[in-house]
Amino acid sequence: MKMKNVIYKMRYVALLFAVISMVFLTACDDEESASDEIVLQSFGPSGVQHGDEIVLIGENLDQVTAIVFQPGVEIAKSQFVSVTSEEIWVVLPETVEAGKVILKTPAGDIESITMLNLEVPVVITSVTEEARPGSNIIITGEMLNWIETITFSADKTVEKADFVSQTLTQVEVEVPMDAQTGYLKFNTGGTDPLELTSEEQLIVTLPVASELAPASIVHTEDLTINGTDLDLVTKISFPGGGEVEADAFESQTEASIVVAVPATTVAGKLTLTVPSGLTVQTEDALTIILPNVTAFNPSNTDNHDPGVTLIMTGTNLNLVGEIVFPGVATAVTTFIKTATQIDVVIPAGAQGGTVVIKTIHGFSIPVEVPFGDQLVLAKAIYDEAAQNGFGEWGGWESTTTWGSTERARVGTKSIKVDFNVCCWKGGAQMGNGNLSTAGTAYFAFSVYGGPGTGGKSLQILVKRPGGEATKQVTVVEGAWADFAIPLSELGNPSAITELFFQNTDGFSTGVVYIDQMGLK
């Protein structure tokens, strides 16, 4: 991998010599002689490069037997360019690095007070093209022993002390586990430090999940994910919201992962996370084996009475653990089941709407087969639109969409109410009506609960000539529920003039759909 030739530096051409003030002792009557102490006073020039000459200035330097530069580069006296009592001239070898200078003398070592530094033209010629997190890459070039840090993409910096190895021509460094694909930055030392950037990106390997076995599975069973570099995976996110951390995997190798499928999983592709936070998806989608009810018997709604045995037919019905009937808060758990049939006694209080089956793993599935007769209206207030003189007034503390086509109990349209603020009794309102209740006994309607609304209460305020009454119903999440409120519980109104569907303290946000509203 070649490097960008972007090097910002200043070159010092002339040698800079320190002016040394020398104090000479005058001998009196030749009774005193000059000191024979070896003293290192200075060295230079500043910004010298490898291969250049450097001068050391001091006293009695002709007694120096060798000079040691960092890191342990020793030059014997025989290799000095020149030496006098006041100066030593040497050529700096390429292996010299920044640091203090040591003079070897018969009287012992003398260490410089200041640091020697150099101007170093570091050159990068190649970098490993692709590597796994945690593996080593090789950088080759010139003067690489002057590299101080290597920064991987996403600001993952490795310091010089943590390099695996480092020489003049090669650096070996481990790729951080949380590194990402990207350009490398190299920062060097010296009198004019450099920042070099790799010309090509280092590709950091990501896992590949090429096969799911089995491709169709039941909740909580073990799934095997086959592929490459799967030992890098730290978390698996399943469609439907379930997440499994690596420490909860049944097993994990570079070639496969075995993991139990969470009970919330729906069909779709899995997402694998690596230490850097990056994610990859499985190549194939997972299919969840679920019970499917295709028919009710009796199908005649007149026979859907409490105590009657309802026969549900379909596939994978042996996975059913509970059955929730519309209008009944307590799930039915006692019934006879096989893979293709369930015999269950209809509980008291069951109304028309959507039957919800729950699997033995707690996964809820609305049954698309209509149940009950609560959708038959004698006088409509809302059916595809407002009826019998009622106006669509909207409401407050909510967003109401009249004639929403997102879902409908009957036909193609319903009222969508988004309780998007947290205030008591906001909702959708209908008014300007005066619908006589003569010949009817119930105020009926259907409600579908959006995500997060299950079990919450929706309050119905019904206005009549001379008064009003309220009634609360429980929303079923992900299913239509039909409700029939006896008019006797609403004060036996002679007519209905205004309606208000309100939230409660426990129902501050969320979306519901209202349809097929009227009298029966």
Side-chain angles (χ1 to χ4, degrees), residues 217-297:
I217 198 168
V218 174
H219 286 132
T220 74
E221 288 188 350
D222 286 346
L223 172 71
T224 298
I225 304 169
N226 294 315
T228 57
D229 299 297
L230 296 177
D231 55 328
L232 300 176
V233 176
T234 59
K235 181 176 67 176
I236 299 176
S237 300
F238 289 80
E243 294 184 345
V244 182
E245 301 288 341
D247 58 4
F249 295 168
E250 299 296 328
S251 66
Q252 182 178 23
T253 67
E254 186 175 342
S256 68
I257 295 173
V258 178
V259 60
V261 177
T264 57
T265 303
V266 298
K269 294 185 176 182
L270 283 58
T271 301
L272 313 182
T273 302
V274 297
S276 65
L278 295 178
T279 60
V280 295
Q281 281 195 326
T282 57
E283 294 181 0
D284 299 324
L286 184 66
T287 299
I288 302 298
I289 299 173
L290 294 171
N292 180 39
V293 176
T294 57
F296 288 155
N297 185 20

Side-chain angles (χ1 to χ4, degrees), residues 330-348:
T330 303
V332 178
T333 58
T334 302
F335 45 83
I336 300 172
K337 66 180 180 179
T338 66
T340 58
Q341 181 172 313
I342 291 177
D343 295 354
V344 58
V345 176
I346 299 174

Side-chain angles (χ1 to χ4, degrees), residues 5-27:
N5 296 318
V6 181
I7 301 178
Y8 301 98
K9 63 178 181 174
M10 293 182 63
R11 183 75 185 269
Y12 293 88
V13 178
L15 295 180
L16 302 178
F17 294 94
V19 177
I20 310 299
S21 296
M22 307 295 293
V23 177
F24 296 92
L25 298 177
T26 303

Side-chain angles (χ1 to χ4, degrees), residues 459-480:
Q459 179 164 280
I460 318 302
L461 186 150
V462 179
K463 289 191 176 182
R464 62 183 188 273
E468 62 182 41
T470 61
K471 184 72 174 180
Q472 290 191 358
V473 297
T474 301
V475 177
V476 178
E477 181 177 341
W480 284 101

